[in-house]
Amino acid sequence: MDPFTIFGLAKTLLSAGPTLIKTVGGMFGDSASETAVRMANKIEQIDKSIAPFEVKQKHVANELNKLSPQELERMGKVQVELSWRR
């Protein structure tokens, strides 16, 4: 994924919050659920910081960059579903 796509995904995930990420990730099977739970847990930790939203978004993007291509694809599916829920 290109940096702009990753940054947009980070924004969506951070805005949705950990609970919704876990719920939606569970809709796509075990591997997607596992990836979603891991990312949701990281987002929960990042979101607890006092930093501005943009700084949090950058930290989430950095975590997304650590994922494998398959995991990024799964999180992309979660992002699409989250966008329908807004």
Side-chain angles (χ1 to χ4, degrees):
M1 271 188 202
D2 65 85
F4 292 111
T5 304
I6 295 261
F7 206 65
L9 175 56
K11 181 177 181 179
T12 300
L13 296 175
L14 192 56
S15 296
T19 303
L20 190 54
I21 293 167
K22 290 174 185 177
T23 300
V24 171
M27 296 170 51
F28 295 102
D30 291 340
S31 56
S33 180
E34 180 182 308
T35 303
V37 167
R38 280 198 341 251
M39 278 307 302
N41 290 339
K42 290 178 184 184
I43 288 168
E44 187 172 34
Q45 291 172 342
I46 292 167
D47 201 30
K48 288 181 181 179
S49 72
I50 300 174
F53 185 85
E54 293 78 18
V55 174
K56 294 177 185 181
Q57 186 177 1
K58 184 175 181 180
H59 285 290
V60 173
N62 288 338
E63 291 298 325
L64 288 167
N65 279 319
K66 296 176 185 177
L67 298 178
S68 71
Q70 295 82 8
E71 291 171 318
L72 276 175
E73 182 180 336
R74 291 178 202 134
M75 293 311 300
K77 290 178 182 178
V78 170
Q79 179 185 25
V80 169
E81 187 64 31
L82 287 170
S83 68
W84 283 103
R85 296 184 176 274
R86 290 187 165 191

